[in-house]
Structure formats: C-alpha cells, structure tokens
C-alpha cells in the first residue's frame, strides 16, 4: 500500500515539469504565435468543456471549475508535455487559466469567465433587439426580453406592433419575479432555498388577484411552469392580464434571460397556443444565438404576421402594467 509520500506517474511528471522546463520552455515568455494559438484554444476548450473531449464528469462552473494536470491535458490533446506546459504558463500569465495551489492542476481563469460574461451580455442585447422587433411583427403583440436583477425582472429589449403598447413598455423597467411570466422563467434553474433567498428579502408582490401569496405557492407554480417549458401568469401582475414567458439559455445551459408576451386576457387567451409556440420559438432562437446546444429550428414556408384580434370583452383601461410579462 503506498505511503504518504507516494506520488503516481502523472503527479511525478507534473511536478517535474513544474521545475524542469523542457526544450520548448527556452524562449522567453511572450505572446502566442502561429500554431500555438490553435493549441492554446484547444487547452481552453478542454478546461472549459471536458465532456467535449470525452473525459466525462462535471463540466465545472464559475465557482468550482474543472481542473487537470499537465500530463492529462497533453495526453488528451495528443501533444508534447513540455509544449503544453509552456502554453499553460503563458495562459496563466495572462489570467486565462489558473494553477491550483499545491496540486499543480490547471483550471479556467477568472479573466476568461469575465470576458465570457461580457461577450454574452453584449451578444444578448444585440440579438434581443433584433428578436423583439421580428417577433412583435409576427405575433402582433408586444414582445420583451428580460434578465434577472436581484429579486426582480428587468427588461433589456422590447418592441410592439403599434404605438399604444410601445409607449407603455420600456427598457430598464423592473417588475417582480414572483408574479410575472418572464420572472418565473428566470427562476427555472433554481431550487427552493435559492428561490427563497431571492424572493423572501424582496417580499412576494401583492399585485393582481392571481399572484402567488406564499413561497410554497410560488415554488409550486415554478414547478408547473418548468414541466410545461414556459410560464403562464394569469391575472397575476394585474387583473385582466395574461402573460407567457420562456427561458433563454447560454452555451453552458444556464438560464440567462427570458422572452415574454403579455396583453389583455380577452385578446391573448383565444390565441394562447399560437402565442405560446411563438414565445418558445423566440426563446430557442435567442438561446442558439448565445451558443446553446439545441436542435436546429424546423424549416418551412415563411410565417405570415398574425393579425391582432380585438378584445372580445370590454378592454382593461390602459395602465402602466399592461404588457408586463
């Protein structure tokens, strides 16, 4: 049985490599050149998504990233160990990877996470602006894209097919997570303790008559919404308002935004299946644009714009809450 000083072959190689630079270590540290760029990108891809290289196990997260030793990385990529070690040190100097203290294993660096977050945020805003304009014309309703901001849902993009709703919806508006369709879609990935940490300090919004009044009721509705793949909020933000929302996911599969449509119940309810399908389609399109792995969209003839139906009952007087999803 190995003693406390036992070190397996991979660890011996990693530790020797950390102190004895190979032939490829001789050039001074500097910027990557030529084929090194492709090898460095392969390293980052491996550390960021080990499943793509057949290593299995969890892909890691910003809090607990997956880490690998030099030998393991070199073997997986089919490269020379000293070559991989030199690239890892260059990437570490730049902050793109980090070496764990004591283990000599490498993981994705915080700088790369920061760049990724900024890239997704910029891409999300750009793609969302185009998506809401397109979907508003196709669905004949105001469409918005929201992100989570603390215990609230914040609109980052919105468009409507007419000036009436366009004047009511605006970017930067904050609404509760608990009683809006987009808000609950933003909670799809969270368990009960996480939802409680977000919602309880903020308090459950006492808005429309259909709004959840307790944490248990909110969690139950999130579960129902999650099962159907989209959120429905009827008379929750305001009496007479019906909203539909679906989550948007990024390349890592996490919920980063939500697409929503809302309007008078009397107008939305008769065409709810069509509106729901449109919201799901829009959320999937935006998810693909952010790098999420989803099946390609079905091809077919162009969809004609839906003609908005007038409410079948006396409409709710215009308020600032109309159109909140």
């Amino acid at each position: 049985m190995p003693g406390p000083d036992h070190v397996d072959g991979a660890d011996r190689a990693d530790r020797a490599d950390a102190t004895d630079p190979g032939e490829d270590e001789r050039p001074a540290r500097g910027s990557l050149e030529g084929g090194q760029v492709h090898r460095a990108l392969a390293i980052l891809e491996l550390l960021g998504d080990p499943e793509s290289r057949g290593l299995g196990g969890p892909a890691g997260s910003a809090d607990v990233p997956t880490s690998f030793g030099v030998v393991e990385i070199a073997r997986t990529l089919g490269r020379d160990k000293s070559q991989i070690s030199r690239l890892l040190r260059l990437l570490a100097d730049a902050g793109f990877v980090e070496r764990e203290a004591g283990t000599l294993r490498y993981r994705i660096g915080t700088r790369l996470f920061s760049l990724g977050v900024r890239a997704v945020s910029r891409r999300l805003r750009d793609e969302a602006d185009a998506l809401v304009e397109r979907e508003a014309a196709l669905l004949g309703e105001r469409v918005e894209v929201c992100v989570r901001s603390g215990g609230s849902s914040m609109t980052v993009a919105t468009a409507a097919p007419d000036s009436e709703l366009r004047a009511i919806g605006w970017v930067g508006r904050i609404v509760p997570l608990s009683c809006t369709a987009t808000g609950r879609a933003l909670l799809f990935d969270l368990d009960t303790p996480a939802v409680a940490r977000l919602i309880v300090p903020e308090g459950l919004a006492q808005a429309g008559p259909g709004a959840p009044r307790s944490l248990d009721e909110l969690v139950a509705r999130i579960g129902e919404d999650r099962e159907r793949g989209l959120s429905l909020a009827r008379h929750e933000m305001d009496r007479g308002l019906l909203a539909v929302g679906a989550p948007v996911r990024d390349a890592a599969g996490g919920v980063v935004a939500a697409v929503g449509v809302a309007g008078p119940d009397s107008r939305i309810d008769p065409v709810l299946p069509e509106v729901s399908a449109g919201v799901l389609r829009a959320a999937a399109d935006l998810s693909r644009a952010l790098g999420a792995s989803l099946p390609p969209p079905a091809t077919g003839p162009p969809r004609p714009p839906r003609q908005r139906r007038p409410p079948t009952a006396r409409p709710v007087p215009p308020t600032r809450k109309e159109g909140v999803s």
Side-chain angles (χ1 to χ4, degrees):
M1 185 171 180
D5 295 329
H6 172 78
V7 181
D8 64 23
D11 271 351
R12 281 198 301 270
D14 285 345
R15 294 180 183 278
D17 182 72
T19 55
D20 299 328
E23 183 176 352
D24 287 347
E25 288 285 337
R26 292 174 184 170
R29 292 178 180 176
S31 59
L32 299 176
E33 297 179 358
Q36 288 182 311
V37 172
H38 298 288
R39 291 190 288 273
L41 291 175
I43 291 173
L44 295 176
E45 181 183 11
L46 169 63
L47 294 179
D49 185 15
E51 292 180 334
S52 69
R53 295 286 178 171
L55 296 183
S61 66
D63 297 324
V64 187
T66 304
S67 61
F68 298 100
V70 175
V71 171
E72 192 173 11
I73 296 172
R75 183 172 58 245
T76 303
L77 299 180
R79 296 289 181 180
D80 180 74
K81 175 176 65 65
S82 60
Q83 184 182 69
I84 293 298
S85 177
R86 177 172 182 270
L87 288 174
L88 283 166
R89 293 187 184 192
L90 287 172
L91 292 170
D93 286 345
F96 293 119
V97 303
E98 298 172 350
R99 191 168 68 176
E100 296 177 341
T103 68
L104 303 183
R105 295 171 69 82
Y106 286 87
R107 62 189 181 192
I108 286 290
T110 54
R111 183 180 179 189
L112 196 61
F113 276 118
S114 176
L115 290 174
V117 168
R118 289 201 296 270
V120 169
S121 178
R122 178 70 262 177
R123 184 69 180 272
L124 173 61
R125 292 195 299 270
D126 290 344
E127 295 289 343
D129 286 340
L131 179 132
V132 294
E133 292 286 349
R134 183 190 74 215
E135 294 298 329
L138 289 171
L139 293 175
E141 297 291 341
R142 190 180 69 81
V143 179
E144 67 178 353
V145 174
C146 301
V147 298
R148 183 159 56 84
S149 177
S152 301
S153 171
M154 181 177 70
T155 301
V156 296
T158 181
D162 58 39
S163 57
E164 175 193 357
L165 285 182
R166 191 181 300 273
I168 295 170
W170 63 90
V171 171
R173 178 184 48 190
I174 298 293
V175 295
L177 290 170
S178 59
C179 60
T180 56
T182 52
R184 285 211 296 274
L186 290 168
L187 301 175
F188 272 23
D189 281 355
L190 304 185
D191 57 16
T192 299
V195 172
R197 286 193 296 270
L198 276 176
I199 301 300
V200 172
E202 302 288 339
L204 286 169
Q206 301 297 309
R213 306 300 181 185
S214 68
L215 179 62
D216 288 343
E217 187 177 357
L218 172 60
V219 169
R221 292 196 191 184
I222 294 172
E224 294 169 358
D225 292 338
R226 191 186 292 120
E227 286 184 5
R228 72 167 70 93
L230 79 166
S231 298
L232 291 177
R234 191 185 299 269
H235 308 298
E236 293 192 28
M237 188 65 190
D238 197 11
R239 185 181 299 276
L241 184 71
L242 175 59
V244 182
V248 174
R249 299 182 181 274
D250 62 6
V255 174
V256 294
V259 176
V261 166
D265 190 359
S266 56
R267 186 175 71 221
I268 299 293
D269 198 40
V271 291
L272 183 58
E274 183 180 350
V275 171
S276 298
V279 169
L280 287 170
R281 180 186 60 246
D285 287 347
L286 188 50
S287 297
R288 291 189 194 93
L290 297 180
S293 298
L294 297 177
T299 58
R303 291 168 284 139
R306 184 176 72 84
Q307 296 299 316
R308 172 183 283 186
R309 294 180 47 170
T312 56
R314 188 171 180 269
V316 178
T319 69
R320 288 201 162 204
K321 292 181 181 179
E322 181 178 351
V324 172
S325 54

